Amino acid sequence: MIMKLEFEGVMMNVVNAYAQQVGCAMDEKEDFWSELDNVIDSVPKGQRVVIGADFNGHEELREMREQPIDPQAEQEIINSIDEVYFSNDSFDVVNYELEKLPTVLNLEEIEEYRDKLKKQQAAVRNILFKAHSQKTP
């Protein structure tokens, strides 16, 4: 499912997906990823895509979703997002993050940073959900 939201002047395409894993044949799994690619490719250039998905098996994401959200803590997380993420539509998130990596990688630091990014993603998803809920009768 894809839902379009305009958020602070930016068109956001929120994709909701569920990747079933247990009991599925490999071709079913490949079909899911192919369909997800098609949905993402259908988004017009210049619009943002947010994927809210259950990729089935990522317990730590599920645990984060179930934790109560403190509005002040959530705002602090949002404020911690680098401003460059909101700079323009052609921003390459992956390249930006890869360029920030040090020459010598420290697994513990990478895991801490990954957790920070996951919290940021969860906070953004929560704000989008609240915005959508307020607009829906």
Side-chain angles (χ1 to χ4, degrees), residues 58-99:
H58 296 277
E59 285 298 320
E60 57 200 38
L61 287 176
R62 190 171 291 118
E63 288 170 13
M64 272 195 328
R65 273 197 317 254
E66 293 169 357
Q67 294 175 356
I69 297 171
D70 170 25
Q72 183 178 356
E74 181 179 70
Q75 188 58 50
E76 288 174 10
I77 292 169
I78 294 293
N79 293 342
S80 74
I81 298 173
D82 291 346
E83 198 63 35
V84 70
Y85 279 90
F86 307 104
S87 62
N88 62 55
D89 293 331
S90 62
F91 174 65
D92 185 343
V93 175
V94 174
N95 191 44
Y96 175 74
E97 292 299 332
L98 288 174
E99 287 176 356

Side-chain angles (χ1 to χ4, degrees), residues 30-77:
E30 290 171 0
D31 287 345
F32 165 81
W33 292 107
S34 177
E35 287 179 39
L36 183 59
D37 284 341
N38 290 337
V39 168
I40 292 169
D41 289 342
S42 73
V43 174
K45 200 170 190 97
Q47 294 184 7
R48 307 257 180 181
V49 176
V50 176
I51 301 175
D54 182 352
F55 292 120
N56 202 4
H58 296 277
E59 285 298 320
E60 57 200 38
L61 287 176
R62 190 171 291 118
E63 288 170 13
M64 272 195 328
R65 273 197 317 254
E66 293 169 357
Q67 294 175 356
I69 297 171
D70 170 25
Q72 183 178 356
E74 181 179 70
Q75 188 58 50
E76 288 174 10
I77 292 169

